[in-house]
Amino acid sequence: MICLGIEGTAHSIGVGVVNDDDGKCRVFSNLIKIYRPEKGGIHPREAANHHAKYIADLIKESMEKAKICSNDINLVSFSMGPGLGPCLRTAATAARALSLSINKPIIGVNHCVAHLEIGRGTLDDCNDPVLLYTSGANTQVIAFAEGRYRVFGETLDIGIGNCLDKFGRNVGLGFPSGPKIEELAKKGKQYLKLPYSIKGMDLAFSGLLTAAGQYYEKGESLEDICYSIQETTFAALTEVTERAMAHTEKNNVLLGGGVASNKRLREMVQIMAEERGASFFVPTRDLCIDNGAMIAWLGILMYKSGIRLKVEGSFIDQRFRTDMVDVTWRD
Ligand code: ATP
Ligand code: FE2
């Protein structure tokens, strides 16, 4: 079964074509275009205009790259939420138009669950992981328990990527700042104390963001501040992930989201996994960031488990929570 998936929850518009190969996900193509504002944060309507401008070409190019024609597509899927309303609507409209024009079924999927399922679908032996999902807007620890994907811990304020990008913007690093902070952190020599906020299983980063800004104003070395931000936030993320693994008794841990590119974060989670005798997994970067292939793959899982959606009912849901999804494709 071949599915074309459209992702458009935030500043990326992505189209992926995947095939179901005996229960494993084969990615035929996975193209992404990222909206980068000249300055400041994302304006939802401008991001949506960007997506509208590129979506038709992306669909065409992703089919060419996958070496398929529209007749080969069995299913169209799109990101239903959570995300920014105008962006979600643009992706959903493109999916509806495609589904109607090629007369193939449509499925709407939860973006966060897609980040987890693409790991299970593409990585051998990653069967039942705890996902540490760290991106710009999202920071969640997700695992399957009692028939649903449940959020065991999450940020109470901003996402970790957002925290890195905001600090970077304030000190002139430009967007996205995550990779630049990673480079600077390598040269850090001294740990500067920062607030380590874990509340129960949840996290908060805005206090740390303020404190890091104050160190910068006081003239502390940017390298030391970047090093300290990474050590503090990543330790907190790793701690919550470990607690979720202990609680659910799972022995797979999976990373997802753009911040999963960070080598120090990978290292910390990997050490934690090794110490527990657990296995560590991280998909390739193009499958970690927001992408159409993960949306396509979850579409296939849902469709094959009997879920059907009418074009008339293919709404978006800006606040689509991970635990609202009825997981019909797992035992
Ligand atoms: P979502 O809508 O799922 O929240 P998103 O559109 O914000 O996602 P992603 O593409 O998954 O984003 O991730 C982007 C984030 O990843 C940015 O905040 C960026 O700074 C961060 N990032 C990218 N590379 C690195 C890195 N090497 N280290 C730390 N952060 C990184
Ligand atoms: Fe995402």
Side-chain angles (χ1 to χ4, degrees), residues 218-255:
K218 272 193 238 154
E220 293 288 354
S221 120
L222 188 56
E223 290 156 359
D224 287 346
I225 305 173
C226 291
Y227 167 73
S228 307
I229 291 175
Q230 285 201 168
E231 292 304 301
T232 314
T233 56
F234 296 172
L237 291 166
T238 307
E239 182 186 329
V240 172
T241 308
E242 178 165 28
R243 286 209 237 154
M245 291 175 78
H247 178 78
T248 57
E249 297 180 349
K250 295 194 196 288
N251 59 9
N252 287 176
V253 61
L254 172 70
L255 295 187

Side-chain angles (χ1 to χ4, degrees), residues 58-258:
L58 274 180
I59 291 174
K60 199 166 144 258
E61 284 165 32
S62 68
M63 280 165 47
E64 281 166 11
K65 182 122 197 276
K67 299 195 173 67
I68 59 158
C69 62
S70 55
N71 279 340
D72 300 318
I73 299 173
N74 307 110
L75 179 69
V76 176
S77 71
F78 68 98
S79 49
M80 229 174 187
L84 306 170
C87 301
L88 291 169
R89 265 177 229 114
T90 305
T93 305
R96 285 182 205 117
L98 181 64
S99 154
L100 289 171
S101 73
I102 63 174
N103 200 20
K104 290 292 157 67
I106 188 167
I107 284 280
V109 316
N110 178 286
H111 175 94
C112 306
V113 173
H115 273 292
L116 191 143
E117 287 297 350
I118 195 65
R120 293 209 318 136
T122 55
L123 301 166
D124 287 338
D125 304 321
C126 179
N127 298 321
D128 186 18
V130 170
L131 169 73
L132 171 58
Y133 169 32
T134 53
S135 67
N138 292 296
T139 298
Q140 294 188 333
V141 176
I142 302 171
F144 186 70
E146 292 170 33
R148 281 187 186 254
Y149 281 115
R150 300 188 191 268
V151 178
F152 284 84
E154 65 189 315
T155 179
L156 297 172
D157 48 34
I158 51 175
I160 174 66
N162 222 251
C163 172
L164 300 173
D165 294 335
K166 277 192 170 150
F167 174 76
R169 192 190 310 150
N170 294 343
V171 304
L173 294 179
F175 181 84
S177 302
K180 290 167 190 156
I181 291 173
E182 178 170 17
E183 284 314 305
L184 289 163
K186 283 183 193 153
K187 296 180 219 135
K189 291 187 185 73
Q190 193 202 345
Y191 177 77
L192 305 165
K193 202 167 179 323
L194 287 167
Y196 183 85
S197 349
I198 294 189
K199 296 169 186 174
M201 291 281 278
D202 293 325
L203 302 141
F205 299 112
S206 54
L208 174 140
L209 180 62
T210 308
Q214 286 165 350
Y215 278 128
Y216 183 73
E217 277 161 29
K218 272 193 238 154
E220 293 288 354
S221 120
L222 188 56
E223 290 156 359
D224 287 346
I225 305 173
C226 291
Y227 167 73
S228 307
I229 291 175
Q230 285 201 168
E231 292 304 301
T232 314
T233 56
F234 296 172
L237 291 166
T238 307
E239 182 186 329
V240 172
T241 308
E242 178 165 28
R243 286 209 237 154
M245 291 175 78
H247 178 78
T248 57
E249 297 180 349
K250 295 194 196 288
N251 59 9
N252 287 176
V253 61
L254 172 70
L255 295 187

